[in-house]
Amino acid sequence: MGNCKLTQKNDSFIITNMLKSPEAVNGFALNTIIDNFSDCLISLSVSEVRKRTILSAEIHGDLPLSWCDTYKGDLVLFKNVVMQLINVLEKCEEYNISVSDLMLNLDYIFVDVVNINIRFVYWPVTNNDQHTNLRKFLEDLPCLINKDLFHIHLFSDIDYFSNSRVFTLLSFKEMIYRIFGTEKNNSSQVIKKTAERLISDDFIQRTELIRN
């Protein structure tokens, strides 16, 4: 997958992907995400430098998920990441673009820390020799939350990520909806109330200590 780089510039982050031969920009996928994915994917621009093609974006205000140590253990953050991932996967199916170019790396998943909105990075590249390992990402995803702070019954479902069953989007969605007791179109306020019901008072107190 080319030469991907994340750099910080003042109060923003810059992501770049310098393509390598025989990689090329997938124009159909690029236009599709610009026109239809603004709510969940970072918009990219294309430039040429010394005959090399570069995909890039400057992100203002959001933080990479890997930087969000303050929110370690936050069930709402975990909830929003997986629900937005479901949204992206469904839209990739709807618009007929491959999920293999979705950058499932915590450095390239961005969080608006005010309202906990999530946006992913999708590299629209042909002849890409490094494809997204969706299963590996799902297995690693519970690192966002601290098992010691949550009820055991929650993790009987989250163990889904590391067992041997075949991954399907439908089964993944069913598991997430079961955990949070919510439907896809519920408002963020309902999501937060649902999450709070799953968290003990002791968790809330200790989370305040983490954030402070």
Side-chain angles (χ1 to χ4, degrees):
M1 173 66 78
N3 182 16
C4 299
K5 185 180 296 185
L6 169 72
T7 56
Q8 187 176 12
K9 179 183 178 182
N10 299 324
D11 61 347
S12 63
F13 290 88
I14 298 173
I15 57 172
T16 58
N17 183 1
M18 180 176 288
L19 305 191
K20 60 184 181 181
S21 179
E23 294 177 337
V25 173
N26 181 332
F28 170 77
L30 177 64
N31 291 330
T32 298
I33 65 176
I34 290 173
D35 293 340
N36 302 288
F37 287 76
S38 61
D39 63 320
C40 53
L41 296 181
I42 301 293
S43 293
L44 301 171
S45 61
V46 182
S47 60
E48 298 284 337
V49 177
R50 297 178 182 175
K51 298 183 179 180
R52 296 287 300 274
T53 302
I54 300 175
L55 290 163
S56 63
E58 185 167 356
I59 298 100
H60 301 276
D62 294 5
L63 289 178
L65 194 52
S66 59
W67 287 49
C68 294
D69 290 342
T70 302
Y71 293 89
K72 179 74 172 181
D74 192 316
L75 187 57
V76 174
L77 174 61
F78 176 80
K79 160 73 173 180
N80 286 9
V81 170
V82 293
M83 291 301 290
Q84 188 69 299
L85 177 59
I86 288 173
N87 179 38
V88 171
L89 294 176
E90 288 183 327
K91 293 183 77 167
C92 286
E93 287 186 354
E94 178 184 356
Y95 290 98
N96 196 30
I97 61 173
S98 173
V99 300
S100 64
D101 294 323
L102 189 63
M103 188 73 165
L104 294 181
N105 178 310
L106 299 187
D107 286 337
Y108 294 86
I109 300 173
F110 289 86
V111 184
D112 179 338
V113 296
V114 175
N115 52 33
I116 318 299
N117 282 344
I118 307 296
R119 289 188 297 166
F120 292 84
V121 173
Y122 184 102
W123 299 120
V125 176
T126 61
N127 302 316
N128 170 24
D129 60 0
Q130 296 181 20
H131 297 296
T132 290
N133 188 333
L134 181 58
R135 183 181 181 85
K136 178 65 166 60
F137 178 74
L138 296 178
E139 289 173 353
D140 293 342
L141 196 55
C143 72
L144 291 179
I145 43 184
N146 187 333
K147 289 189 178 184
D148 295 336
L149 301 181
F150 289 91
H151 295 299
I152 296 300
H153 77 269
L154 181 62
F155 280 87
S156 67
D157 276 313
I158 289 182
D159 281 344
Y160 170 97
F161 294 112
S162 57
N163 68 26
S164 60
R165 78 181 70 182
V166 176
F167 171 82
T168 67
L169 180 56
L170 178 60
S171 64
F172 178 54
K173 286 166 55 179
E174 288 176 346
M175 182 270 294
I176 293 300
Y177 295 157
R178 183 169 62 252
I179 287 177
F180 291 98
T182 185
E183 294 298 329
K184 177 180 176 182
N185 294 324
N186 275 10
S187 68
S188 59
Q189 187 61 36
V190 173
I191 289 171
K192 290 182 179 180
K193 288 182 178 179
T194 303
E196 288 170 0
R197 287 200 301 270
L198 293 173
I199 302 173
S200 65
D201 291 338
D202 181 55
F203 166 81
I204 295 172
Q205 293 171 3
R206 283 192 278 175
T207 301
E208 290 303 317
L209 291 175
I210 292 173
R211 290 181 172 175
N212 294 333

